[in-house]
Amino acid sequence: MRATKTVLIMAAAATIAGLTGCAGNSKPAASPAAPAVTPGQQRAVEPVANVTALNGTFFYMGGYNISGEFFSVQNGKKKTVAADTRDGFQYYASVSPDGKHVAYLGSGMKVVVSDVDGRNKKTFAVKLGLEAHGPAWTADSTGVIGALAAKSGPSTAGVVRIADGRFIALPKSVQGGYHYRMSGDGKRIFWVSSKMAVYSAAVDGSAVRRMPVFGLDTTKAQNPKHLLAGDLGQVDFTGSRVTVAVRGWANTHAVDALGADRSDTLVDTATGQVLPLPLKGYVLHVMLLPDGSVLTLSGEGDSAAKSPVFTLFSKDLKKVLTQPTKLGNNVLRDYRM
């Protein structure tokens, strides 16, 4: 896959009006200037059209216990990245875009960041709430996006800088959402509303847009299949595609703050249309990879537990390869070439 630069536009106060910062678990306080962020660069990987086997690194959650272990598998060898602590949420750990770090919520909902192999673990004082059980990364891999744990009232969404643990609030126009994600180019923030619609905005809070079709507050003409976004999985480099965990119309109570542990649908953000993938059987997971290619996990019949298989698609959704796997009770979280 081609090397792609990911530039986080959320840099200085002159670029992003209204950002505030705080340390630890206190309320965000006014900051004279938001610190600059160094652009990141993703690793060079093989063009997807030339890939003949999935020989990269898979990242899994162990079983369905939310405090269970998070581990990697490469060349058939398993390595524990975050052990089962019984009171943490390493189950929902996420890998940074540059592939160097892993972030999750540890004991007491505190943000934990380690190297991708689990070493050099650092626990920050910042505590994130339910909306961040699956903390997302900024495009340049320098921060983790989530919402502060709130004892009462609305929580504040923002970025925890991994350099010093400082919390920087997101603009007011993007507050009040769930499952925040950033496009790979660092230009837009995406989130799910309480009505299970998908919104996005420029990182300075301007140009707020709603993705068509999805949401409880739609008409039958607008949303004939009653599609609801229970969670956001990944956003591609330009923000033109997202993966979502689709909810049925019967789930009309509210968006689940905890979210899903996987996404099952690929969606065009300009039209809100589901992008069909030529898969047979039960589709368990649809994942956007950093270069825009798509990795899916599916199985026979109505369950991926029977004959699970990975399928890799190029960015233009042409099938590149299929590869059988052994899934067990584990849940796929990420894959890196």
Side-chain angles (χ1 to χ4, degrees):
M1 301 178 189
R2 293 187 298 273
T4 54
K5 291 185 178 180
T6 57
V7 181
L8 179 60
I9 307 301
M10 185 161 39
T15 305
I16 302 178
L19 283 187
T20 57
C22 73
N25 198 34
S26 60
K27 294 182 179 179
S31 174
V37 181
T38 304
Q41 183 173 354
Q42 293 175 354
R43 297 171 298 166
V45 290
E46 187 176 10
V48 69
N50 298 335
V51 174
T52 58
L54 298 173
N55 294 324
T57 303
F58 294 89
F59 295 90
Y60 292 96
M61 311 182 212
Y64 290 89
N65 175 6
I66 62 174
S67 64
E69 71 171 331
F70 182 81
F71 63 92
S72 64
V73 176
Q74 185 175 31
N75 297 325
K77 296 181 179 180
K78 174 184 173 181
K79 181 175 181 60
T80 297
V81 178
D84 184 348
T85 62
R86 303 298 176 187
D87 61 350
F89 294 89
Q90 58 277 3
Y91 179 90
Y92 284 94
S94 58
V95 182
S96 60
D98 63 8
K100 296 179 179 180
H101 296 96
V102 168
Y104 56 93
L105 299 189
S107 178
M109 308 291 282
K110 293 181 179 179
V111 176
V112 180
V113 174
S114 74
D115 293 345
V116 75
D117 60 4
R119 295 184 294 180
N120 298 318
K121 185 172 71 172
K122 186 175 183 179
T123 301
F124 297 99
V126 177
K127 297 181 180 180
L128 298 183
L130 288 174
E131 299 89 342
H133 276 191
W137 283 87
T138 56
D140 66 352
S141 302
T142 64
V144 176
I145 309 171
L148 291 175
K151 294 182 179 179
S152 62
S155 57
T156 301
V159 175
V160 181
R161 299 191 317 186
I162 65 172
D164 55 13
R166 184 181 182 190
F167 181 86
I168 303 174
L170 292 174
K172 185 177 180 180
S173 60
V174 306
Q175 296 292 338
Y178 299 86
H179 315 308
Y180 291 91
R181 305 287 184 262
M182 184 177 283
S183 59
D185 59 9
K187 293 182 178 180
R188 295 191 70 80
I189 296 283
F190 287 74
W191 69 94
V192 175
S193 74
S194 60
K195 297 293 185 180
M196 289 185 259
V198 177
Y199 285 82
S200 71
V203 292
D204 64 358
S206 65
V208 177
R209 302 171 190 163
R210 175 172 174 164
M211 187 177 77
V213 182
F214 283 70
L216 283 170
D217 52 347
T218 54
T219 66
K220 187 174 182 180
Q222 294 170 328
N223 188 0
K225 294 186 178 180
H226 295 164
L227 297 176
L228 306 174
D231 197 352
L232 272 178
Q234 298 87 26
V235 181
D236 73 355
F237 188 78
T238 62
S240 62
R241 291 175 176 176
V242 295
T243 59
V244 300
V246 171
R247 293 289 181 85
W249 199 250
N251 295 310
T252 56
H253 52 286
V255 64
D256 184 358
L258 180 59
D261 51 24
R262 65 184 73 87
S263 299
D264 55 17
T265 305
L266 181 66
V267 183
D268 183 298
T269 59
T271 65
Q273 297 301 309
V274 172
L275 298 175
L277 297 168
L279 296 167
K280 296 181 180 179
Y282 181 84
V283 179
L284 180 68
H285 202 144
V286 177
M287 178 180 294
L288 274 165
L289 300 182
D291 74 324
S293 58
V294 178
L295 181 66
T296 66
L297 178 61
S298 58
E300 295 181 2
D302 59 357
S303 172
K306 185 177 181 181
S307 303
V309 61
F310 288 117
T311 305
L312 179 65
F313 295 90
S314 61
K315 187 176 180 179
D316 58 2
L317 303 185
K318 292 182 179 178
K319 187 182 293 187
V320 176
L321 63 84
T322 58
Q323 182 171 305
T325 185
K326 294 181 180 180
L327 187 63
N329 290 326
N330 303 312
V331 179
L332 179 69
R333 283 293 288 172
D334 209 336
Y335 173 74
R336 300 301 171 93
M337 295 284 194

